[in-house]
């Protein structure tokens, strides 16, 4: 029940999330689709060196108080044995 | 020497003209002299919102072209002692005026008046460049909507490039929708745009009625919007602003903000 409520974001929260993304793209001058292309290329480069799940690589532009940052994250496989 | 303040937004229909009209009336009520400039050449509005449309003889382009003196093109608002309007031309093109023309015009008006408020056209092209050219300060008006905030952000960036100090008015806030979770709050908008807040004006049907009549809401009485415009005018004049007295949500966010640390409501 509570989970159900929590999963339903208010339209205000949705608007905030969309704005953060749109403004990050606008401020950096990169279209959202371009960013996805870049993500695929970066993932391909990483996978040449480390075996990774290409789909799990994330590229994000974050913009807080007008400073903009590009962040790439990728889970690395655990080296068991 | 007066202060020239441009009221701008990027997007149209968010309340620039309403804000210019009401801040002008409120500042004049508080005793400072004000000239309002309609910088929307070719699509003038401020004259009808102010209810001064039948008194126009000369306009901004006439004054710039030297067809009359600047003082002669000003229309005195008879409802107040120290409020004037410089109307836009309805027939000329935006490129009838250059940024240099505007700087000269505004400097002349700043010599004779305490405030020059410039009602900026929508967009970020020539009309916008003209409107901001002579401004010492800017007020960005945004409504709590994704498209308005996005356009406002673009304008904030352009104003920052020119080192024009910029503050924010959030307009058309519906406390009821914010409470339901269906509208961004004033605090959300401040956080996203990272600007100092001058005020948050509620969505108020009195504004619609006073616009119909050509009477600034501020001169019509104590509607919620009128009271907020008066508070904003006081802040611009550096006067003490009485703490919010309204009960309920809108009053609370006003206080919680305290115009510095914003808690998302
Ligand atoms: N706080 C408000 N409450 C209700 N209506 C408003 C408010 N502010 C603006 N409006 C209405 O919104 C419309 C657009 O406002 P306007 O000032 O002409 O915007 P802009 O100059 O940015 O294009 C007008 O019909 C105006 O009466
Ligand atoms: Mg307008």
């Amino acid at each position: 029940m509570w989970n159900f409520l929590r999963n339903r974001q208010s339209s205000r929260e949705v608007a905030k999330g969309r704005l953060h993304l749109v403004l990050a793209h606008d401020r950096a001058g990169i279209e959202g689709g371009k960013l996805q292309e870049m993500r695929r290329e970066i993932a391909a480069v990483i996978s040449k060196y480390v075996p990774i799940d290409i789909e799990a690589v994330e590229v994000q532009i974050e913009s807080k108080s007008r400073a903009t940052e590009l962040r790439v994250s990728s889970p690395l496989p655990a080296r068991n044995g | 020497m007066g202060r020239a303040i441009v009221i701008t937004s990027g997007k149209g229909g968010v309340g620039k003209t309403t804000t210019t009209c009401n801040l002008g009336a409120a500042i004049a009520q508080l005793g400072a002299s004000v000239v309002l400039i309609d910088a929307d050449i070719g699509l003038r509005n401020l004259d009808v919102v102010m209810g001064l449309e039948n008194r126009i003889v000369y306009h901004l382009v006439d004054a710039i072209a030297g067809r009359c003196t600047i003082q002669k093109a000003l229309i005195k608002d008879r409802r107040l002692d120290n409020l004037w309007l410089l109307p836009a031309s309805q027939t000329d093109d935006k490129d009838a005026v250059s940024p240099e023309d505007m700087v000269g015009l505004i400097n002349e008006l700043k010599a004779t008046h305490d405030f020059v408020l410039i009602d900026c056209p929508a967009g970020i092209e020539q009309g916008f460049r003209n409107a901001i050219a002579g401004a010492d300060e800017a007020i960005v008006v945004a409504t709590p909507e994704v498209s308005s905030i996005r356009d406002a952000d673009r304008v904030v960036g352009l104003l920052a490039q020119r080192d024009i100090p910029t503050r924010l008015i959030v307009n058309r806030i519906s406390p009821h929708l914010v409470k339901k979770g269906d509208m961004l709050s004033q605090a959300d908008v401040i956080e996203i745009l990272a600007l100092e807040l001058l005020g948050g004006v509620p969505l108020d049907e009195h504004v619609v009625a006073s616009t119909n009549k050509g009477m600034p809401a501020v001169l019509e009485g104590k509607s919620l919007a009128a009271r907020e415009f008066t508070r904003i005018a006081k802040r611009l004049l550096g006067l003490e602003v009485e703490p919010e007295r309204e009960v309920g949500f809108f009053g609370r966010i006003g206080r919680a903000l305290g115009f510095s640390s914003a808690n998302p409501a």
Side-chain angles (χ1 to χ4, degrees):
Chain A
M1 163 82 172
W2 288 116
N3 252 342
F4 163 74
L5 282 180
R6 218 176 294 138
N7 286 341
R8 269 187 41 189
Q9 267 192 324
S10 69
S11 76
R12 170 189 164 206
E13 290 301 326
V14 175
K16 265 177 95 167
R18 291 176 63 214
L19 264 167
H20 274 295
L21 273 182
V22 167
L23 291 193
H25 296 166
D26 284 358
R27 288 170 185 172
I30 302 179
E31 300 292 349
K34 279 261 165 59
L35 204 66
Q36 288 314 310
E37 274 178 34
M38 184 161 89
R39 188 193 75 84
R40 281 191 290 275
E41 285 185 34
I42 290 173
V45 171
I46 299 173
S47 68
K48 281 209 309 207
Y49 298 88
V50 201
I52 53 157
D53 174 6
I54 287 186
E55 287 315 308
V57 173
E58 283 186 29
V59 171
Q60 277 178 316
I61 294 177
E62 289 229 342
S63 189
K64 271 259 160 79
S65 295
R66 318 207 72 78
T68 308
E69 176 176 293
L70 178 74
R71 199 174 298 161
V72 181
S73 68
S74 167
L76 292 178
R79 294 179 58 215
N80 293 328
Chain B
M1 196 68 170
R3 286 156 69 185
I5 307 176
V6 62
I7 288 103
T8 183
S9 67
K11 190 171 171 358
V14 301
K16 293 177 293 295
T17 301
T18 305
T19 299
T20 308
C21 161
N22 281 288
L23 283 186
I27 293 171
Q29 270 185 331
L30 292 166
S33 64
V34 192
V35 182
L36 309 180
I37 301 183
D38 189 344
D40 205 342
I41 313 291
L43 277 177
R44 74 177 176 215
N45 266 200
L46 190 52
D47 57 332
V48 284
V49 173
M50 297 287 296
L52 299 174
E53 68 273 19
N54 292 327
R55 300 200 26 225
I56 298 177
V57 180
Y58 296 109
H59 51 64
L60 187 149
V61 178
D62 289 330
I64 281 173
R67 290 190 285 264
C68 66
T69 63
I70 294 174
Q71 298 299 329
K72 191 139 194 207
L74 298 182
I75 299 166
K76 169 84 180 61
D77 189 321
R78 297 194 185 118
R79 295 163 296 200
L80 288 163
D81 282 337
N82 35 17
L83 181 61
W84 286 265
L85 169 70
L86 178 55
S89 155
Q90 183 69 342
T91 48
D92 290 280
D93 225 46
K94 293 204 189 301
D95 52 27
V97 176
S98 74
E100 296 72 35
D101 293 332
M102 289 300 285
V103 172
L105 177 87
I106 288 167
N107 279 338
E108 194 168 326
L109 289 171
K110 272 162 58 177
T112 46
H113 296 80
D114 300 319
F115 283 86
V116 178
L117 302 186
I118 305 145
D119 184 14
C120 183
I124 51 172
E125 297 85 25
Q126 177 78 30
F128 169 77
R129 286 194 294 270
N130 285 340
I132 68 168
D136 306 306
E137 304 163 43
I139 296 175
V140 166
V141 180
T143 60
E145 294 165 294
V146 175
S147 54
S148 165
I149 295 167
R150 180 192 205 174
D151 290 358
D153 188 72
R154 186 78 206 286
V155 162
V156 170
L158 294 171
L159 293 164
Q161 275 176 14
R162 285 161 204 252
D163 291 322
I164 300 176
T166 302
R167 288 183 283 182
L168 173 70
I169 290 178
V170 184
N171 187 30
R172 301 182 64 124
I173 304 170
S174 163
H176 164 71
L177 285 182
V178 175
K179 202 168 177 178
K180 263 180 43 184
D182 277 331
M183 182 179 270
L184 292 163
S185 70
Q186 178 175 277
D188 293 336
V189 184
I190 299 167
E191 183 212 305
I192 294 165
L193 289 175
L195 283 182
E196 183 192 335
L197 182 76
L198 261 177
V201 182
L203 183 70
D204 185 339
E205 57 194 43
H206 290 92
V207 172
V208 180
S210 55
T211 306
N212 282 338
K213 292 182 276 187
M215 174 69 90
V218 159
L219 299 186
E220 283 225 301
K222 302 255 176 231
S223 64
L224 287 177
R227 277 159 49 180
E228 185 59 17
F229 281 123
T230 298
R231 273 193 292 271
I232 295 168
K234 287 184 178 169
R235 280 182 203 114
L236 283 173
L237 287 161
L239 298 173
E240 188 89 5
V241 177
E242 73 278 14
E244 248 331 316
R245 256 169 305 156
E246 299 119 74
V247 283
F249 184 71
F250 197 72
R252 276 207 320 276
I253 52 175
R255 262 200 311 279
L257 285 172
F259 297 96
S260 53
S261 58
N263 318 325

